[in-house]
């Protein structure tokens, strides 16, 4: 890697690039995770007790999750809901990505991409709060449905996980569209035409030609969407009802309301382990490596 950078940029600039990458990895990725693991293995003690007899490594913070049935159910619900968000985002994003890459003219693709990107110039909390207004009991969506005669009375969209799922699909759709779009764009259009000319239906063409070529992009989009959904706090906090708590809200409570950073670190590390396991599973299912995802 360094030799390739040296040939392209020269020695001084290559050293600077490698040094910046090392600082970023060590200072912003590795050290915070190590500190979190260290916190998670220590009991929550008073300042005067730190360094004393009770200040020893223990797995009790991890055992708390498995002994607390409410937190454990929220943990599994968060993982399942994140998988569902990933699937729904993929279903919405794939047709749009194919249209942008292979069907739309350059002018149409540019306009569509602009319309997708402009809302993301606004802060995520404001975008999420706009969905809170849209999905409210007396919001514009219910007013429209009532006006069209599709419903007899307003629907409580925010009473369960429905509002959270909608908000997350909207919030993370670009993280799914762009990797798939980049993968499909590199596909030779003649392969699609050849499949159609040989009598393959559109469904079979996508299954046998387009999707195998776009696997790295699909895997990247799924990984990014799942990790963002599993680690989201703003969307479930604004769009979720009291009975639809997210695991990140439990972690937040441990840190900032309960004051137990050790317990919060243990919960956060368990969530990180699940996310890493999901990445490995997706890579195995799509049969792609880290090099394919990093393209």
């Amino acid at each position: 890697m360094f030799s390739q950078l040296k040939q392209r940029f020269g020695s001084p600039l290559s050293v600077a690039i490698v040094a910046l990458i090392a600082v970023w990895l060590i200072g912003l990725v590795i050290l915070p995770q190590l500190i979190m693991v260290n916190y998670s293995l220590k009991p929550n003690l008073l300042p005067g007790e730190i360094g004393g007899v009770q200040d020893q490594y223990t797995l009790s913070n991890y055992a708390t999750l498995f002994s607390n049935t409410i937190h454990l159910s929220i943990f599994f619900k968060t993982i399942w809901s994140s998988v569902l968000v990933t699937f729904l985002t993929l279903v919405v994003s794939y047709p749009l990505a194919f249209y942008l890459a292979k069907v739309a003219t350059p002018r149409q693709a540019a306009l569509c991409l602009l319309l997708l990107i402009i809302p993301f110039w606004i802060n995520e909390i404001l975008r999420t709060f706009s969905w809170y207004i849209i999905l409210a009991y007396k919001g514009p969506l219910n007013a429209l449905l009532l006006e069209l005669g599709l419903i007899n009375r307003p629907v409580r969209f925010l009473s369960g996980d429905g509002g959270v799922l909608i908000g997350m699909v909207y919030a993370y759709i670009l993280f799914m569209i762009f990797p798939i779009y980049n993968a499909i764009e590199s596909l030779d259009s003649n392969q699609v035409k050849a499949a159609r000319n040989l009598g393959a239906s559109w469904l079979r063409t996508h299954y046998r030609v387009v999707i195998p070529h776009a696997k790295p992009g699909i895997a990247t989009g799924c990984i990014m969407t799942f990790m963002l959904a599993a680690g989201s706090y703003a969307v479930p906090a604004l769009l979720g009802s009291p009975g639809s708590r997210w695991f990140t809200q439990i972690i937040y409570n441990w840190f900032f309301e309960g004051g137990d950073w050790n317990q919060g670190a243990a919960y956060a590390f368990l969530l990180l382990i699940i996310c890493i396991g999901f990445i490995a599973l997706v890579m195995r299912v799509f049969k792609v490596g880290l090099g394919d995802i990093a393209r």
Side-chain angles (χ1 to χ4, degrees), residues 13-25:
L13 187 56
S14 299
V15 172
I17 292 173
V18 172
L20 288 173
I21 293 174
V23 169
W24 178 78
L25 284 175

Side-chain angles (χ1 to χ4, degrees), residues 163-182:
V164 177
L165 296 179
I166 294 172
M168 285 192 175
V169 170
Y170 170 77
Y172 308 131
I173 190 171
L174 290 186
F175 296 95
M176 183 71 77
I177 287 179
F178 283 128
I180 300 176
Y181 167 76
N182 290 332

Side-chain angles (χ1 to χ4, degrees), residues 172-219:
Y172 308 131
I173 190 171
L174 290 186
F175 296 95
M176 183 71 77
I177 287 179
F178 283 128
I180 300 176
Y181 167 76
N182 290 332
I184 296 178
E185 192 179 32
S186 63
L187 174 66
D188 187 353
S189 299
N190 291 324
Q191 296 185 37
V192 178
K193 294 178 181 178
R196 294 291 291 161
N197 291 336
L198 290 172
S201 63
W202 271 115
L203 183 62
R204 188 172 181 83
T205 300
H206 281 276
Y207 178 72
R208 298 297 297 272
V209 179
V210 182
I211 292 178
H213 182 84
K215 282 195 302 183
I218 295 174

Side-chain angles (χ1 to χ4, degrees), residues 25-239:
L25 284 175
I26 296 173
L28 299 179
V29 178
I30 297 175
L31 285 180
Q33 299 301 329
L34 291 177
I35 293 172
M36 182 179 70
V37 172
N38 182 65
Y39 265 105
S40 70
L41 294 173
K42 292 290 189 72
N44 185 34
L45 301 174
L46 297 173
E49 298 174 333
I50 297 176
V53 179
Q54 297 180 354
D55 190 8
Q56 297 181 1
Y57 288 107
T58 176
L59 295 175
S60 59
N61 291 323
Y62 293 92
T64 301
L65 174 63
F66 299 99
S67 61
N68 190 319
T69 56
I70 296 177
H71 288 183
L72 190 62
S73 63
I74 293 174
F75 176 74
F76 285 118
K77 190 210 75 169
T78 299
I79 301 303
W80 161 245
S81 299
S82 300
V83 173
L84 183 58
V85 167
T86 304
F87 174 75
L88 293 175
T89 308
L90 175 60
V91 170
V92 173
S93 301
Y94 178 82
L96 185 54
F98 180 80
Y99 170 80
L100 292 172
K102 294 300 176 186
V103 179
T105 63
R107 184 182 180 87
Q108 291 172 337
L111 178 61
C112 189
L113 288 172
L114 186 63
L115 292 175
L116 285 170
I117 293 173
I118 284 178
F120 287 80
W121 293 353
I122 304 172
N123 183 272
E124 180 185 358
I125 295 177
L126 294 178
R127 286 187 281 112
T128 304
F129 191 73
S130 68
W131 273 107
Y132 179 85
I133 297 173
I134 293 171
L135 299 173
Y137 185 73
K138 294 185 178 181
L141 180 58
N142 269 318
L144 177 62
L145 295 176
L146 286 170
E147 185 68 23
L148 294 175
L150 298 177
I151 56 175
N152 297 322
R153 58 182 179 179
V155 178
R156 296 188 181 275
F157 293 104
L158 301 175
S159 62
D161 292 327
V164 177
L165 296 179
I166 294 172
M168 285 192 175
V169 170
Y170 170 77
Y172 308 131
I173 190 171
L174 290 186
F175 296 95
M176 183 71 77
I177 287 179
F178 283 128
I180 300 176
Y181 167 76
N182 290 332
I184 296 178
E185 192 179 32
S186 63
L187 174 66
D188 187 353
S189 299
N190 291 324
Q191 296 185 37
V192 178
K193 294 178 181 178
R196 294 291 291 161
N197 291 336
L198 290 172
S201 63
W202 271 115
L203 183 62
R204 188 172 181 83
T205 300
H206 281 276
Y207 178 72
R208 298 297 297 272
V209 179
V210 182
I211 292 178
H213 182 84
K215 282 195 302 183
I218 295 174
T220 302
C222 289
I223 288 171
M224 295 177 67
T225 304
F226 175 84
M227 295 191 69
L228 289 169
S232 176
Y233 175 79
V235 177
L238 290 175
L239 299 180

